Amino acid sequence: MKFAVIAAGEGSRLAAEGISEPKPLVRLLGEPLIDRLIRIFNCNGAEEIVVIVNDIHPQTEAYMREAIRTGRFANVRLVVKTTPSSMHSFYELKPFLDGGPFCLTTVDTVFCEDEFEAYIRTFCQNGQLDGLMAVTDYVDDEKPLYVAVDADWRITGFHDRCEGDRFVSGGIYCLRPRALDTLERCMREGQSRMRNFQRGLVADGLCLRACPFSKIMDVDHADDIRKAECFLAGE
């Protein structure tokens, strides 16, 4: 199974709040965000990890290339391109993900490693699913995407506003190749944003289920670093 990381955002909010490192290199408990994800993915049997970074922050590209050169990121494929949105970044990764199941997330997604292991195992054991989407009832996002699920955990919709929904999207997606057809269609139609892609999966009739996590956080602001470290430390 392949894994993919979208790490091409500008990190403008962190920079405006005094964080000098590009977001992929921000450390949680001493470990850069990108290192943490690659470590966790490899612990879950990653065949290959495809990472996209932008060319706005050359230190990120330099860091990745050195880690690949020295063998620390031995199974990482690097794509360098600045894109207008996460969905466009996903599209740049598409040629490397076709042909088999994969897991995609953004570089600043923080979650419990044990829950992630169970999530990957559930997806791999259920070959009938087109997608298994991580969800959480922990809402700490400026613009959360609410996820509607039925009694069997099948996803029936994605909403910008709460419509009686308990969960929000956690930004971790396990998908099979059929989902890439939806991505292609969304790009042809000029759509953007990952939430529009997710709505497209429902509209195209793909079999999607939700997998609940106790907490999933994003590191968008300086204070999120402290909160994420407290979460990982069990505080």
Side-chain angles (χ1 to χ4, degrees):
M1 180 171 172
K2 294 187 177 182
F3 291 76
V5 183
I6 296 174
E10 294 183 23
S12 56
R13 287 173 289 189
L14 285 172
E17 295 171 7
I19 304 301
S20 59
E21 300 90 349
K23 185 183 284 190
L25 306 185
V26 168
R27 293 176 178 268
L28 296 183
L29 302 177
E31 186 177 31
L33 287 168
I34 187 64
D35 290 57
R36 180 175 188 270
L37 284 181
I38 289 172
R39 173 179 58 77
I40 293 170
F41 293 166
N42 280 322
C43 286
N44 285 276
E47 169 192 345
E48 183 178 59
I49 303 169
V50 190
V51 180
I52 182 169
V53 302
N54 63 46
D55 52 17
I56 299 171
H57 300 296
Q59 57 268 56
T60 305
E61 179 185 355
Y63 180 88
M64 295 295 299
R65 292 201 185 281
E66 178 64 11
I68 293 169
R69 185 190 69 80
T70 59
R72 191 161 60 86
F73 290 172
N75 61 338
V76 172
R77 181 192 296 268
L78 183 65
V79 177
V80 181
K81 187 169 184 177
T82 297
T83 63
S85 74
S86 292
M87 197 178 85
H88 286 79
S89 292
F90 181 19
Y91 188 73
E92 294 298 326
L93 299 177
K94 177 179 177 291
F96 310 107
L97 300 175
D98 209 353
F102 61 91
C103 177
L104 171 77
T105 190
T106 54
V107 73
D108 62 335
T109 306
V110 181
F111 47 82
C112 172
E113 295 182 36
D114 289 343
E115 291 181 334
F116 184 80
E117 180 182 355
Y119 165 69
I120 295 297
R121 185 169 58 250
T122 298
F123 178 67
C124 291
Q125 290 174 349
N126 194 335
Q128 302 304 309
L129 292 179
D130 293 308
L132 185 66
M133 318 300 254
V135 300
T136 180
D137 57 7
Y138 175 78
V139 183
D140 185 31
D141 194 294
E142 294 163 354
K143 295 181 179 179
L145 178 64
Y146 292 91
V147 183
V149 298
D150 64 17
D152 295 321
W153 293 94
R154 180 155 183 163
I155 295 175
T156 59
F158 295 95
H159 308 134
D160 288 328
R161 295 179 177 82
C162 182
E163 299 183 12
D165 312 306
R166 175 182 172 187
F167 297 103
V168 297
S169 173
I172 311 172
Y173 322 99
C174 274
L175 299 166
R176 289 194 164 84
R178 187 181 173 198
L180 297 176
D181 295 335
T182 296
L183 176 63
E184 187 75 42
R185 176 181 64 77
C186 288
M187 292 295 293
R188 285 198 311 268
E189 294 174 355
Q191 298 187 46
S192 62
R193 306 186 72 190
M194 285 297 291
R195 61 183 58 196
N196 292 330
F197 163 69
Q198 292 177 79
R199 291 186 180 108
L201 295 173
V202 175
D204 289 347
L206 273 68
C207 181
L208 304 178
R209 281 195 166 80
C211 180
F213 282 58
S214 60
K215 182 184 288 189
I216 300 175
M217 303 177 61
D218 292 335
V219 179
D220 291 321
H221 296 279
D223 190 53
D224 292 337
I225 299 172
R226 178 192 60 80
K227 290 191 291 186
E229 289 187 323
C230 288
F231 166 48
L232 294 178
E235 298 177 6

